[in-house]
Amino acid sequence: MRLIERFRAWGHPNIRARHRTTLMVTRDPELTPRGDCIVAVGAEKGLADLNPELREAARKKNARITLILEAEGLSFTVSGWGDPRLTLDHPRDIVARRSRYICPRTLMIGADKAACDIPEELRRTLQRRIPIWITIIVENS
C-alpha cells in the first residue's frame, strides 16, 4: 500500500536549516533564527491534519515514510521509518528525526537526512517567502 499527501508551506528569511538530527515543517507563520531545524513555515497541515488512513499506515511496523520538499524546481527527500508508538497528533508541527525519539511532533524516526543536509542552493531558496510543496509518502509491504 502506498499513500500520498501533498500540501503547501512557505519559505521564510530566518530559515537556517543547520540542525544535524531533525528537520521540521510548521504551521507557525514566523520563526526566529534559533529554529535551525525548521525548513518551512505557514504549512497548510500539521500532523493532526494528515489523512487518517495515512497516519494509521505510518504507525505500522516497518512503514517506510518519505518527506519531499519542492521549491522552484529544486527538491530534497528525507526517508525514514514509521513506528507503532507514533501518535501523529500534533496540531502544528511535522518532524523527521534521525534518532529513535518519539513525541507528538514526530513523523518519522531513523531518518536518513536532517535539515543540515539540504543543499545550499535550496537552503537559499527556502529563505525567500515563496511556496514550498511538501509531499509525504507512506509505504507498507
Side-chain angles (χ1 to χ4, degrees):
M1 175 177 25
R2 179 181 166 118
L3 298 165
I4 301 171
E5 189 140 356
R6 184 173 162 91
F7 56 93
R8 189 175 54 179
W10 296 91
H12 191 281
N14 285 333
I15 288 175
R16 298 293 176 258
R18 300 284 185 207
H19 204 277
R20 296 189 170 281
T21 61
T22 61
L23 177 146
M24 184 168 100
V25 173
T26 184
R27 290 187 70 137
D28 294 343
E30 296 295 327
L31 80 137
T32 67
R34 286 187 3 218
D36 67 345
C37 68
I38 298 171
V39 299
V41 300
E44 293 174 332
K45 298 183 180 197
L47 283 175
D49 303 306
L50 297 177
N51 177 322
E53 193 176 339
L54 182 139
R55 291 169 58 217
E56 182 180 329
R59 289 187 198 103
K60 303 281 186 201
K61 187 174 177 154
N62 296 323
R64 188 72 172 152
I65 301 174
T66 303
L67 184 147
I68 304 166
L69 298 170
E70 297 172 277
E72 296 198 339
L74 302 171
S75 68
F76 180 75
T77 302
V78 179
S79 295
W81 300 97
D83 189 282
R85 298 171 295 154
L86 292 172
T87 62
L88 304 167
D89 60 2
H90 200 275
R92 292 186 325 276
D93 301 337
I94 299 172
V95 179
R97 301 183 186 279
R98 280 194 164 142
S99 71
R100 296 243 174 265
Y101 177 76
I102 291 176
C103 77
R105 299 161 52 170
T106 306
L107 168 67
M108 70 176 80
I109 58 175
D112 62 352
K113 296 181 191 97
C116 68
D117 298 307
I118 292 176
E120 191 59 36
E121 183 180 7
L122 179 54
R123 187 184 336 258
R124 284 192 308 271
T125 300
L126 298 176
Q127 291 173 340
R128 297 183 11 237
R129 291 189 190 265
I130 58 166
I132 300 167
W133 286 98
I134 310 295
T135 304
I136 296 173
I137 303 167
V138 177
E139 296 176 281
N140 289 307
S141 48

